[in-house]
Amino acid sequence: MIKELPRLDEMPPDRPEMAGPDHPIRKMTQQIAFDPAAWTPERKTKVAELFDAMAPEWSKRATIERREPLRDALARGGPLPRGLCVEIGSGTGASTPDLADHFETVMALDLSREMLRHAPAQPGHRVQGDASTLPLADGSAASIVLVNALLFPIEMDRVLAEQGTLIWVSSLGEFTPIYLAAADVDKAMPGEWSGVAGRAGWGTWAALRRS
Ligand SMILES: C[S@@+](CC[C@H](N)C(=O)[O-])C[C@H]1O[C@@H](n2cnc3c(N)ncnc32)[C@H](O)[C@@H]1O
């Protein structure tokens, strides 16, 4: 059960309408969230190539409007447990400083080597990896944060500590290519979860914990 919090800011103008419900990445995001078999080796190769190619220009997308939903999630989505924060699909690191302000240690993990190469060395420990098979022990992450990143529910559930928090952010809300509604994140995760959701800047967010 996810409770929607009231919006605190005004929606900024000119939200880029990057993707509607029929966008191929939007469909892939849904498939992967609800069917582990949808993440095939061929798809993994294609996704890595796609983001490797976009990496040199990616940091131009990091506007303040895009950062607002994560900041709101960190401010109102708590409690945020102490310990390791795993940032999935960290890209060129636009969100990592905000996470480093809240968590002791941030692992900034991405499939794309080029994205990581264009990210600053600090803050956050950059790790190349696939979020469907994380190089982490069961229950070792106090928080897992996904900003415009693919949700692999079984692996997120395995790695997140019992009292851990899962934060999902879509920087452009319903117009984000990698988008899931808060209710879909809740439905896709194994077991019973509860939490809060909100809107800020151009985006949407959800923070979930096991019920
Ligand atoms: C839309 S970008 C978002 C990047 C960053 N979070 C941002 O908002 O600017 C998605 C990122 O997820 C990464 N990614 C895609 N599939 C992944 C996987 N299976 N494991 C880890 N990262 C993945 C891509 O390489 C890309 O950097």
Side-chain angles (χ1 to χ4, degrees):
M1 175 75 181
I2 308 287
K3 181 184 170 203
E4 182 82 24
L5 301 180
R7 182 172 193 127
L8 298 181
D9 64 349
E10 273 195 23
M11 167 89 152
D14 305 325
R15 173 164 64 163
E17 299 191 358
M18 280 190 66
D22 293 330
H23 192 284
I25 302 250
R26 182 84 169 261
K27 288 183 177 171
M28 181 182 76
T29 305
Q30 281 278 341
Q31 288 166 4
I32 288 167
F34 288 100
D35 176 11
W39 185 241
T40 61
E42 296 74 30
R43 204 164 228 180
K44 177 176 166 179
T45 303
K46 276 193 181 165
V47 167
E49 286 172 358
L50 175 74
F51 285 105
D52 274 350
M54 288 196 279
E57 301 291 314
W58 192 265
S59 50
K60 290 187 184 151
R61 300 179 182 220
T63 59
I64 187 74
E65 293 86 351
R66 286 174 193 254
R67 290 177 76 174
E68 283 310 319
L70 174 61
R71 290 176 174 183
D72 194 37
L74 293 170
R76 298 197 288 157
L80 303 175
R82 293 174 67 81
L84 173 67
C85 167
V86 179
E87 182 188 4
I88 301 290
S90 51
T92 52
S95 302
T96 313
D98 288 326
L99 296 176
D101 285 346
H102 283 80
F103 299 101
E104 287 164 76
T105 310
V106 179
M107 174 195 274
L109 179 130
D110 204 287
L111 182 64
S112 158
R113 188 176 177 81
E114 287 303 304
M115 283 284 191
L116 292 168
R117 216 168 57 77
H118 283 82
Q122 293 290 334
H125 302 280
R126 289 172 297 171
V127 174
Q128 186 180 14
D130 179 354
S132 72
T133 50
L134 289 168
L136 288 165
D138 296 1
S140 55
S143 298
I144 298 182
V145 177
L146 300 100
V147 180
N148 310 320
L150 297 169
L151 180 70
F152 295 91
I154 295 169
E155 191 64 349
M156 304 299 100
D157 184 50
R158 181 187 72 77
V159 165
L160 191 66
E162 197 50 42
Q163 308 295 325
T165 302
L166 178 83
I167 296 181
W168 171 268
V169 174
S170 298
S171 301
L172 300 177
E174 296 80 353
F175 292 109
T176 315
I178 299 182
Y179 170 76
L180 289 173
D184 280 344
V185 178
D186 183 18
K187 203 177 349 161
M189 290 301 294
E192 293 295 314
W193 296 71
S194 58
V196 289
R199 290 177 177 269
W202 286 327
T204 51
W205 61 266
L208 284 74
R209 278 165 285 278
R210 292 184 184 87
S211 296

